[in-house]
Amino acid sequence: MDPHELENLAHLRRARDLIDREYARPLDVPTMASRALMSPAHFSRQFKAAYGETPYSYLMTRRIERAMALLRAGMSVTDACMTVGCTSLGSFSSRFTEVVGEPPSTYRSREHDAETAMPACVAKVQTRPTRNAASRNDNAPGRNGEASRGAAA
């Protein structure tokens, strides 16, 4: 990587960190792009190239991940929806079902003994929702923006 690419990756990480910290706040692409010191269109292209999903998709995945933890703890679907920053229960339920594979009410009502028995750091990794897992291949960039081993060969 040349110095310019490393600088861009550092800027993208600042925006990703913003999403990770402020997921419950109303965030839009221009706000995220300003954190990365890029125009919204350039930021969206660069973010997708580095992390394999659009900034909005990444934000929604973080929100769903947090909602899953709240639902496992017994919070109502409506309260979990509002707590993670979603304003529409219908859109939240649709996106949750798309990402997790079951509606939030079904997810909330089933047993989660395995998740509560493991350390929180392990549960976070094991229950993290993955988007478009079937379409990812060995050459897709990893979570940190670096290509996986298959691309290095």
Side-chain angles (χ1 to χ4, degrees):
M1 276 190 168
D2 67 32
H4 181 68
E5 290 173 329
L6 288 174
E7 184 179 347
N8 273 346
L9 189 56
H11 291 309
L12 290 170
R13 284 184 181 146
R14 288 175 50 194
R16 189 183 67 179
D17 290 345
L18 171 73
I19 296 169
D20 289 340
R21 272 192 322 276
E22 305 291 336
Y23 64 87
R25 249 184 46 182
L27 288 175
D28 57 7
V29 172
T31 302
M32 295 178 228
S34 69
R35 182 60 60 102
L37 307 175
M38 297 177 187
S39 72
H42 183 66
F43 168 70
S44 291
R45 287 190 302 272
Q46 293 295 309
F47 193 96
K48 184 166 184 172
Y51 300 114
E53 60 185 329
T54 66
Y56 183 74
S57 176
Y58 184 83
L59 170 63
M60 289 307 296
T61 302
R62 294 288 72 77
R63 287 178 172 172
I64 297 300
E65 179 180 29
R66 181 65 184 136
M68 289 171 67
L70 295 172
L71 293 170
R72 284 193 306 271
M75 186 178 276
S76 74
V77 174
T78 302
D79 289 344
C81 169
M82 298 304 163
T83 300
V84 299
C86 296
T87 55
S88 166
L89 183 58
S91 296
F92 168 77
S93 294
S94 295
R95 183 61 62 103
F96 189 98
T97 303
E98 172 190 326
V99 172
V100 178
E102 63 184 328
S105 55
T106 304
Y107 182 84
R108 180 181 182 269
S109 65
R110 73 176 166 85
E111 290 295 320
H112 297 282
D113 293 336
E115 289 90 354
T116 57
M118 58 181 89
C121 59
V122 174
K124 182 177 180 181
V125 171
Q126 293 298 317
T127 61
R128 177 170 285 150
T130 56
R131 183 178 292 277
N132 300 329
S135 66
R136 291 189 181 156
N137 61 32
D138 287 344
N139 295 328
R143 282 206 180 269
N144 295 328
E146 294 85 18
S148 62
R149 281 186 225 178

